[in-house]
């Protein structure tokens, strides 16, 4: 049972929208990151009215100098672990941080940027009522358009910009908050679950038209088994949430098959499975299912043995294991190729 739950949490769907680099490159690629709190490295710190923040203890307790950076983690998150294995010394900073320094903005955006915003979703409305203000997926795409325009201003050529971005890696993780809000009836539209799923997928399809050549998509994890969901299901996994996430996963697979149909002989589905030997796969290390992680919460000392850091998010150790599997996994785990093969890097 433990192995099955751990494996489910690390299921990753990867859409490879172009042929991998033929040869290893010495320069790490630029990385552009979109999505929600799974990949947020501090975007929401720059939104004063936002209530979805992690810039306080005990978040960041295992980050250098025990600094709460805005990551929903005890240390590094999944975005950090992935870019570290790409050869980057640190994650691309939040776009909102970069744009605050016009003198270095253009130079820095060539290395990448993080647009992910905790609490956001595929739909523009997700998170806006519950957290007052987050950067929706649609707005993140608009921010990327600003990046693209600035690169074109530097190159003076759309073709040159396309050539630069064709070497970049795009990473997306989004959808959990849309499902949670629907199930919790926070801002539920008058739709059935199949209708709502169809709306999510069609909106997602629109957002995915980034022009990306190499695109990795982390699918919605089994949100029905988070500490938050368990607390509302007498300690068990929430069956409605599990079914909803599975339905979205199925629709996402079909969507990515559609998007890749222009690339011959391209396989889509990749699963990163990890038997990590974690001791606790049900509890939050910091806080619990009903009490959020903050300065007054209790937290565990053996954080590397926990799947969940807080009510929703993985520990630094689990993020590391997921990234290692993505980069080093064999074809039985990551197909048709792992990230090392796709991007021409060795770990």
């Amino acid at each position: 049972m433990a192995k099955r739950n751990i494996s489910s949490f690390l299921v990753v769907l990867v859409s490879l929208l172009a042929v991998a680099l033929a040869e290893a490159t010495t320069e790490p690629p630029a990385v552009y990151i979109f999505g929600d709190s799974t990949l947020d490295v501090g975007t929401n710190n720059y939104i004063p009215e936002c209530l979805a923040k992690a810039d306080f203890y005990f978040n960041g307790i295992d980050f250098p100098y025990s600094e709460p950076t805005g990551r929903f983690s005890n240390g590094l998150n999944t975005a950090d672990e992935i870019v570290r294995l790409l050869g980057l010394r640190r994650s691309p900073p939040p776009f909102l941080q970069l744009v605050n320094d016009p003198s270095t903005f253009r130079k820095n955006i060539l290395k990448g940027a993080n647009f992910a915003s905790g609490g956001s979703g595929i739909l523009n409305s997700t998170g806006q009522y519950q957290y007052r203000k987050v950067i929706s997926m649609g707005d993140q795409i608009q921010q990327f358009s600003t990046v693209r325009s600035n690169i074109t201003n530097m190159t003076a050529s759309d073709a040159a910009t396309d050539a630069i971005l064709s070497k970049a890696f795009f990473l997306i993780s989004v959808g959990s908050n849309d499902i949670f809000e629907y199930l919790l009836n926070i801002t539920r539209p008058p739709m059935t679950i199949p209708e709502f799923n169809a709306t999510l997928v069609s909106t997602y399809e629109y957002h995915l038209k980034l022009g990306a050549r190499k695109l990795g998509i982390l699918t919605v994890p089994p949100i029905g088994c988070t500490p938050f969901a368990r607390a509302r299901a007498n300690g068990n996994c929430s069956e409605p949430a599990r079914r909803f996430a599975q339905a979205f996963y199925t629709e996402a697979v079909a969507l990515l098959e559609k998007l890749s149909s222009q690339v011959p002989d391209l396989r889509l589905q990749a699963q990163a499975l990890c038997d990590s030997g974690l001791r606790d796969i049900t509890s939050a290390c910091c806080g619990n299912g009903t009490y959020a992680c903050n300065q007054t919460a209790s937290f565990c000392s053996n954080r590397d043995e926990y799947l969940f850091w807080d009510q929703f998010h993985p520990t630094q150790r689990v993020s590391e294991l997921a990234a290692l599997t993505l980069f080093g996994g064999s074809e039985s785990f990551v197909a048709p190729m792992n990230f090392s093969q796709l991007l021409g890097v060795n770990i």
Side-chain angles (χ1 to χ4, degrees), residues 36-334:
D36 54 28
S37 54
T38 305
L39 303 178
D40 186 350
V41 296
T43 292
N44 289 2
N45 295 352
Y46 297 90
I47 310 173
E49 62 270 40
C50 178
L51 299 180
K53 294 184 178 181
D55 57 344
F56 49 80
Y57 294 114
F58 290 103
N59 294 299
I61 191 170
D62 295 314
F63 201 82
Y65 308 106
S66 294
E67 179 185 2
T69 60
R71 291 165 172 82
F72 295 80
S73 170
N74 56 304
L76 302 177
N77 67 10
T78 304
D80 297 309
E81 299 289 0
I82 288 174
V83 301
R84 183 175 64 84
L85 292 176
L86 282 172
L88 296 170
R89 295 180 60 187
R90 61 190 59 157
S91 277
F95 169 82
L96 293 181
Q97 176 184 336
L98 292 174
V99 81
N100 283 339
D101 188 357
S103 64
T104 62
F105 177 71
R106 287 190 173 182
K107 178 183 72 174
N108 287 331
I109 60 174
L110 291 173
K111 302 175 183 177
N114 189 312
F115 306 90
S117 174
S120 68
I122 296 170
L123 303 180
N124 289 336
S125 59
T126 298
Q128 308 300 344
Y129 175 80
Q130 188 174 10
Y131 303 118
R132 290 190 183 173
K133 173 65 177 177
V134 295
I135 309 300
S136 69
M137 188 66 184
D139 287 340
Q140 292 176 39
I141 300 302
Q142 289 301 312
Q143 290 176 342
F144 175 71
S145 296
T146 299
V147 168
R148 184 183 180 88
S149 295
N150 275 268
I151 294 175
T152 301
N153 288 339
M154 287 186 278
T155 63
S157 165
D158 285 332
T161 299
D162 289 341
I164 290 172
L165 293 178
S166 71
K167 301 175 183 178
F169 181 53
F170 292 75
L171 182 66
I172 301 176
S173 177
V174 71
S176 296
N177 293 313
D178 300 282
I179 295 173
F180 264 130
E181 288 205 359
Y182 181 91
L183 293 175
L184 294 173
N185 200 22
I186 293 175
T187 54
R188 179 182 294 184
M191 300 180 190
T192 64
I193 287 181
E195 290 171 339
F196 186 68
N197 238 345
T199 299
L200 284 184
V201 172
S202 63
T203 307
Y204 205 10
E205 178 179 6
Y206 176 78
H207 291 330
L208 287 177
K209 295 176 181 178
L210 286 163
R213 298 287 299 279
K214 289 175 282 294
L215 174 64
I217 298 178
L218 311 188
T219 61
V220 174
I223 58 177
C225 292
T226 61
F228 178 85
R230 286 179 181 274
R232 285 151 181 79
N234 297 318
N236 300 311
C237 292
S238 167
E239 187 60 21
R242 187 199 66 79
R243 290 197 305 266
F244 203 152
Q246 181 59 47
F248 178 78
Y249 173 83
T250 301
E251 293 290 338
V253 170
L255 167 62
L256 294 175
E257 288 175 345
K258 172 184 175 182
L259 292 178
S260 67
S261 61
Q262 297 177 354
V263 182
D265 303 321
L266 188 62
R267 289 177 291 169
L268 280 169
Q269 188 171 345
Q271 292 185 328
L273 307 179
C274 179
D275 181 10
S276 57
L278 299 173
R279 184 182 67 82
D280 193 317
I281 61 171
T282 61
S283 308
C285 172
C286 182
N288 55 47
T290 59
Y291 192 77
C293 179
N294 56 43
Q295 301 95 322
T296 64
S298 60
F299 67 96
C300 66
S301 59
N302 53 338
R303 294 179 282 281
D304 284 354
E305 298 180 3
Y306 275 69
L307 174 60
F308 293 102
W309 163 241
D310 58 15
Q311 293 174 301
F312 305 101
H313 306 99
T315 58
Q316 173 179 272
R317 177 59 176 159
V318 170
S319 292
E320 178 187 16
L321 290 169
L324 285 169
T325 306
L326 281 169
F327 276 84
S330 65
E331 189 169 344
S332 60
F333 292 102
V334 186

